[in-house]
Amino acid sequence: MGTLMIYGATGYTGRMACQNANSSGLKFVLGGKSPDKLALLAAQLAVPYRVFSINDSHVITSALEGIKVLLNCAGPFGETAEPLMSSCIAKGVHYLDVSAELSTYQLAERLDEKAKSSGVMLLPGCGGSVAMLGCLVLHVLQSVELQVISIDVALRIAGPMSRGSAMTARNMLSPECLQRHENVITLHDISSTQQFDFDDRKGPVSCTPVTLPDLITLWKSTDIPNIRTFLFASDDSVPPTDLAALPDGPTVEQREDNPYHAAVIATTRDGNTKRAVLHTVNGYTFTGIAAVEAARRLLTNGAIGGFQTPAVVFGGNFVKSVPGSNVVDA
């Protein structure tokens, strides 16, 4: 089957991924740059570990010896994705991550041809919104006969953020918002809110435009020329000013009490719309499960070279591999 490496294994999401990999019986090793934390986690899980930083490509390629799939859980991905993707291409290792940063997907686009030439899959966003929204959109497209010319998607998040996610979100703050218009990424007026009904008995709510990597992945998966992405966040999802005071991440109870929802509005060329909603578990729980399931499938079934998306590689039902996930037509 081959061996999985989980890099950033001692972080909040990385630990959840490791626990899921361990309970799934996968052969995996831990990776990261903190020897004491890695040694402790490795002892708890009874798995090997490798300590290395990502400042030297030779060190990375050496650390990837014997690895078939790398799952990168170490943010910010603006710092970790490029050296790890490049080294995976050089070493012939399939690359996965859980990034929500647009720059990661732009990088994967640039490295697409190199990855194809090496037979290496680049699969950023194998968990999180990219997997959620990609599968939701494919579900809608399967039930629409006419050509879809635009997609509006929204994610409803709830519960506290992890410290790492909050820091990444702060670093990504920008007065500008993006959309895809006629196949080109352009500015999107941040005041152009959209009403979405998440089928949660709370009725339609006004969602704010945000820049999500789905502007790239949905377009790659569907060729739909117009894509807009929105967000609705509960009050407890807004991080405090002092991010250093945040815990690593939400507790199990907090995750269980705060499921996520996603909604899509697909517009056909005759102006009609089709809607659907995804009900699923908390985003952190989803990511830890979906990322490991994606790795398991690549270890078992092999991979397609180049930049890929979870929905295309695994199909629209991939989201249902996460217990508690259900898609309904609205």
Side-chain angles (χ1 to χ4, degrees):
M1 178 181 283
T3 301
L4 166 69
M5 173 183 283
I6 300 176
Y7 190 79
T10 61
Y12 180 73
T13 301
R15 289 197 305 273
M16 286 198 293
C18 290
Q19 291 162 358
N20 287 322
N22 198 46
S23 62
S24 298
L26 296 183
K27 182 181 179 182
F28 70 105
V29 301
L30 314 183
K33 60 182 182 180
S34 304
D36 292 341
K37 292 181 180 179
L38 283 169
L40 179 60
L41 183 59
Q44 292 171 349
L45 298 175
V47 296
Y49 67 96
R50 301 177 187 179
V51 182
F52 63 100
S53 70
I54 55 173
N55 299 323
D56 187 325
S57 60
H58 298 292
V59 171
I60 300 174
T61 53
S62 177
L64 292 176
E65 185 66 36
I67 301 300
K68 184 175 180 179
V69 175
L70 171 74
L71 171 58
N72 178 18
C73 295
F77 294 92
E79 298 175 8
T80 64
E82 194 282 327
L84 289 173
M85 276 193 199
S86 296
S87 295
C88 281
I89 292 172
K91 193 67 176 178
V93 176
H94 302 303
Y95 173 91
L96 287 68
D97 71 28
V98 294
S99 173
E101 300 170 31
L102 186 70
S103 62
T104 304
Y105 301 81
Q106 294 169 325
L107 172 65
E109 286 184 314
R110 294 195 299 271
L111 294 177
D112 180 45
E113 290 302 322
K114 286 185 178 180
K116 285 179 180 176
S117 298
S118 299
V120 169
M121 179 182 286
L122 303 178
L123 192 67
C126 59
S129 75
V130 169
M132 292 180 191
L133 298 181
C135 292
L136 177 60
V137 167
L138 286 193
H139 169 85
V140 165
L141 295 183
Q142 290 170 356
S143 61
V144 175
E145 294 183 0
L146 293 178
Q147 179 188 14
V148 172
I149 60 170
S150 71
I151 287 286
D152 288 341
V153 289
L155 190 63
R156 181 170 188 151
I157 66 173
M161 299 175 72
S162 72
R163 187 190 309 122
S165 296
M167 290 181 174
T168 296
R170 181 185 62 184
N171 293 336
M172 292 171 61
L173 285 178
S174 170
E176 296 181 343
C177 181
L178 301 177
Q179 64 177 333
R180 188 172 288 276
H181 179 69
E182 298 300 331
N183 294 307
V184 178
I185 290 183
T186 63
L187 291 177
H188 185 192
D189 183 357
I190 199 167
S191 67
S192 299
T193 58
Q194 173 75 290
Q195 293 283 313
F196 288 87
D197 189 335
F198 292 95
D199 186 42
D200 56 358
R201 300 181 180 179
K202 296 181 180 179
V205 294
S206 180
C207 297
T208 303
V210 292
T211 301
L212 294 179
D214 308 271
L215 294 175
I216 292 176
T217 55
L218 288 178
W219 181 65
K220 183 173 181 61
S221 301
T222 67
D223 288 326
I224 293 171
N226 302 292
I227 300 169
R228 300 189 300 176
T229 52
F230 298 83
L231 182 71
F232 184 91
S234 63
D235 292 339
D236 58 354
S237 295
V238 180
T241 303
D242 184 10
L243 300 185
L246 281 173
D248 279 353
T251 64
V252 173
E253 291 76 16
Q254 287 173 322
R255 297 201 310 268
E256 290 177 347
D257 290 342
N258 290 283
Y260 278 25
H261 308 277
V264 58
I265 304 172
T267 303
T268 58
R269 66 170 182 259
D270 63 354
N272 288 322
T273 59
K274 175 70 175 179
R275 301 168 186 258
V277 174
L278 166 68
H279 301 293
T280 189
V281 294
N282 183 269
Y284 292 103
T285 302
F286 182 97
T287 298
I289 296 172
V292 170
E293 175 61 18
R296 186 193 68 79
R297 295 189 186 194
L298 295 189
L299 289 168
T300 304
N301 303 322
I304 307 167
F307 173 32
Q308 307 293 338
T309 68
V312 168
V313 173
F314 305 125
N317 285 328
F318 177 65
V319 70
K320 296 179 182 179
S321 66
V322 177
S325 297
N326 182 40
V327 177
V328 296
D329 293 311

